[in-house]
Amino acid sequence: QWPRWLRPVVMTGYVLLMFIVVPLTILHLVKENAQKHIVAWFVAGVFVLATLPISLWDISQHLVHYNRPELQRYYIRIIWMVPIYSLDSWLGLRFPDYAVYFDT
């Protein structure tokens, strides 16, 4: 059954992301002497890391308990907007020269 392995895969991916991305971000802040755009990038990254587990957990729960597909299909589509937009905004803030490419 695929719903049983979905939750551990999502949580393992999140834990790996937290232990790789957060230390790299902190090292980058120290190296750049915390300029304003770096601080904004870090704050946005913290919020991205806060929104990812919540939205992915909600999506996984809708997939595990998929008993009303005519409604849950739309719920899942709407909830996917949160991680996609947060990552898009964070990447646009981090790499402003390529922001137009992230948005298209």
Side-chain angles (χ1 to χ4, degrees):
Q1 291 184 1
W2 67 271
R4 295 212 182 262
W5 63 264
L6 183 64
R7 187 177 308 150
V9 168
V10 169
M11 291 302 133
T12 303
Y14 175 69
V15 168
L16 289 175
L17 180 74
M18 287 294 291
F19 286 116
I20 292 171
V21 172
V22 171
L24 289 176
T25 305
I26 292 171
L27 287 173
H28 190 73
L29 274 174
V30 170
K31 189 167 75 171
E32 294 293 326
N33 293 327
Q35 298 169 355
K36 287 184 182 181
H37 68 281
I38 300 296
V39 173
W41 171 66
F42 180 73
V43 171
V46 169
F47 282 107
V48 167
L49 292 176
T51 59
L52 286 178
I54 296 168
S55 59
L56 293 177
W57 177 260
D58 200 15
I59 290 169
S60 69
Q61 290 302 300
H62 276 289
L63 290 173
V64 168
H65 305 288
Y66 200 67
N67 54 7
R68 296 190 61 193
E70 64 277 355
L71 290 176
Q72 286 175 304
R73 180 178 336 154
Y74 298 109
Y75 291 160
I76 292 170
R77 288 177 187 172
I78 291 170
I79 296 168
W80 265 115
M81 292 171 61
V82 176
I84 291 170
Y85 181 71
S86 65
L87 283 173
D88 175 57
S89 299
W90 181 76
L91 287 171
L93 184 62
R94 178 64 182 105
F95 305 105
D97 295 337
Y98 302 108
V100 70
Y101 300 113
F102 297 133
D103 290 336
T104 55

